[in-house]
Amino acid sequence: MGALPAWKRTLDLAAILFLSPLVLPATLVVATGICVSSRGPVLFRQERVGYRGRRFVCLKFRTMSCDSNQTPHQEHLSDLMQSDVPMTKMDSLGDSRIIGLGRFLRASGLDELPQLLNVIRGEMSLVGPRPCLPYEEENFQTWQRKRFDAVPGLTGLWQVNGKNHTTFKQMVQWDIQYVKTKSLGLD
């Protein structure tokens, strides 16, 4: 079986087409807001790890100052991966790198609208495990790599089953459950 079953690819593209009258104006408003409120590019591009470990460039609306130091995020994520505490985002800790509009975009999920282009290109799906960062993947245990047996998604079981209230281990378990049980009904 290929990365995306025909039913899943059809569902992704049909949903994007159906939602485009809402998504396109929202995208223009958000892009304009970023241009007006912060200097730098509108889009943030970041290498992510997807299906079967393939790397791709994930798109998001930029919510941080340009050239922000990524070390604090790497350290925070490393701590979460090694502990048994909920996966709190650095946003909730008052991350000073976030631009004014960025907090709203992150809280609402609007920062992820550009990932619909990743879905159109077949690098992501609407539903699946979140694509991880290369430095995150480097620290995965063997059993955790099963999450790469599905195309990453904008949302998934982890997000609808507790997200920031679950541990890293629980997140990976939800992702693997999705890999084993993905179906049209589940999506």
Side-chain angles (χ1 to χ4, degrees):
M1 178 187 283
L4 278 172
W7 65 263
K8 191 164 184 51
R9 183 76 176 141
T10 301
L11 181 63
D12 285 346
L13 295 176
I16 290 171
L17 184 62
F18 178 75
L19 293 172
S20 62
L22 297 173
V23 170
L24 292 174
T27 299
L28 291 173
V29 168
V30 171
T32 302
I34 292 171
C35 284
V36 169
S37 67
S38 174
R39 290 180 28 201
V42 170
L43 293 180
F44 174 70
R45 293 168 170 82
Q46 185 176 54
E47 184 178 49
R48 295 290 181 106
V49 182
Y51 180 66
R52 301 253 166 103
R54 293 183 192 124
R55 306 278 174 104
F56 69 98
V57 175
C58 185
L59 302 171
K60 294 180 100 172
F61 280 123
R62 184 176 56 82
T63 59
M64 291 189 161
S65 302
C66 293
D67 301 323
S68 291
N69 181 0
Q70 297 301 309
T71 303
H73 182 264
Q74 290 178 2
E75 292 171 352
H76 179 72
L77 186 57
S78 179
D79 289 345
L80 291 174
M81 290 175 74
Q82 296 172 21
S83 66
D84 198 32
V85 297
M87 300 264 301
T88 54
K89 296 180 93 174
M90 287 185 66
D91 304 22
S92 63
L93 306 174
D95 192 339
S96 62
R97 301 171 301 162
I98 299 175
I99 62 175
L101 183 61
R103 292 189 203 297
F104 169 74
L105 295 176
R106 287 174 170 221
S108 64
L110 290 172
D111 63 321
E112 298 188 2
L113 282 176
Q115 290 176 29
L116 293 174
L117 293 173
N118 291 111
V119 174
I120 291 168
R121 294 192 306 218
E123 299 160 332
M124 292 179 66
S125 179
L126 294 177
V127 181
R130 289 295 300 147
C132 74
L133 296 157
Y135 60 81
E136 181 182 354
E137 184 256 349
E138 290 170 4
N139 294 307
F140 275 13
Q141 297 173 19
T142 302
W143 71 271
Q144 294 169 328
R145 295 179 184 279
K146 290 292 288 174
R147 71 189 300 273
F148 298 125
D149 289 343
V151 173
L154 287 169
T155 191
L157 288 179
W158 170 62
Q159 289 88 337
V160 299
N161 284 294
K163 193 175 178 177
N164 297 329
H165 302 289
T166 60
T167 65
F168 176 79
K169 181 179 177 182
Q170 290 169 321
M171 177 196 73
V172 174
Q173 289 170 333
W174 280 117
D175 290 344
I176 293 171
Q177 181 177 339
Y178 177 79
V179 168
K180 292 178 179 178
T181 61
K182 68 178 178 264
S183 66
L184 177 60
L186 183 59
D187 277 26

